[in-house]
Amino acid sequence: MCDLEKYLDKIMFFSKAVMGKSFHHGWPHVERVLNIAHKISQKEGGHYPVIKAAVFLHDIGRYAERSLNSHHAVLSADIAKEFLKSIGVCDYHISEITHIIISHSFTSGIKPRSLEAKIVSDADKIDALGAVGVIRAFLFGESNGRSPNDTLQHFIDKLFKLPDLMYTNTGKIIARKRVEIMKVVYDELLNELSIK
């Protein structure tokens, strides 16, 4: 196995340059997912340099998702593979990282097979929950033409169900706490917006 740690700064700078400043899917999202993944990894284990590299790269295909009409996880894995090859990361780690990236998204239909992949998948979903999740949902909804009522429906259709999709015990605990916070905000929004 090659030493992945020596490449992490290059991977971080590449991601930061590509991701932009969007709160819901830009560099701030990457930083939050990394913090969550670190917390989960401290409890669950896993090879942290691989987790870190995968978090940096997990959404880099989002900027081209619509124009290329392709799933962002697939695009991100393809871009990551080429970039990691270009900087000299060994094939073993490239394979690990691209699997984590392609399996992090529930809608990709690919199940994470490694502990590291499960941790990144959980961390990414957890960032959609809690107080941050409320902000993300409304920012993303507004930028995609979704009404406030439709965004609130998204809470019911998807976000409140995410704790059941966690792979790690630590992820489940964090997700459940965050959903409790969201439900309080959800109920208050229904009241303040007079939605029945």
Side-chain angles (χ1 to χ4, degrees):
M1 267 193 296
C2 59
D3 177 15
L4 185 61
E5 289 198 50
K6 69 182 180 182
Y7 300 103
L8 288 175
D9 282 346
K10 283 184 182 176
I11 297 168
M12 179 189 71
F13 289 127
F14 174 72
S15 173
K16 205 168 185 179
V18 171
M19 292 302 298
K21 297 178 180 177
S22 165
F23 184 82
H24 51 79
H25 282 116
W27 181 251
H29 166 65
V30 172
E31 288 183 306
R32 293 190 306 269
V33 172
L34 186 62
N35 287 335
I36 297 163
H38 185 252
K39 286 178 188 171
I40 297 172
S41 179
Q42 284 181 313
K43 298 278 189 184
E44 303 281 342
H47 186 207
Y48 190 64
V50 168
I51 292 167
K52 196 170 186 179
V55 170
F56 286 150
L57 300 170
H58 80 283
D59 269 351
I60 55 170
R62 273 202 179 270
Y63 70 92
E65 183 175 30
R66 284 188 183 160
S67 62
L68 296 176
N69 195 26
S70 184
H71 194 286
H72 80 274
V74 174
L75 285 172
S76 297
D78 288 345
I79 294 165
K81 184 176 184 177
E82 291 307 310
F83 171 70
L84 294 170
K85 273 186 182 178
S86 76
I87 63 171
V89 175
C90 69
D91 289 342
Y92 175 80
H93 284 316
I94 291 173
S95 177
E96 275 191 305
I97 292 164
T98 54
H99 168 70
I100 293 169
I101 293 168
I102 207 161
S103 68
H104 87 272
S105 173
F106 174 72
T107 56
S108 76
I110 296 168
K111 298 243 184 234
R113 62 178 180 252
S114 65
L115 174 59
E116 292 80 6
K118 290 172 182 176
I119 288 170
V120 174
S121 176
D122 284 3
D124 185 59
K125 289 175 182 64
I126 288 168
D127 190 54
L129 302 175
V132 163
V134 172
I135 295 168
R136 279 189 66 190
F138 280 97
L139 286 174
F140 183 78
E142 185 173 39
S143 67
N144 286 276
R146 189 189 288 164
S147 72
N149 285 14
D150 288 342
T151 294
L152 288 170
Q153 187 59 45
H154 180 64
F155 284 33
I156 299 294
D157 294 341
K158 182 179 178 184
L159 299 179
F160 290 165
K161 297 174 181 176
L162 289 181
D164 293 332
L165 301 178
M166 297 295 138
Y167 292 100
T168 66
N169 289 331
T170 307
K172 285 182 174 77
I173 291 165
I174 297 169
R176 286 178 188 139
K177 286 180 184 173
R178 287 195 177 205
V179 164
E180 286 173 19
I181 293 164
M182 285 187 96
K183 285 183 175 175
V184 171
V185 176
Y186 173 85
D187 288 342
E188 185 57 28
L189 283 167
L190 291 183
N191 180 48
E192 292 180 15
L193 297 171
S194 300
I195 298 172
K196 294 180 182 176

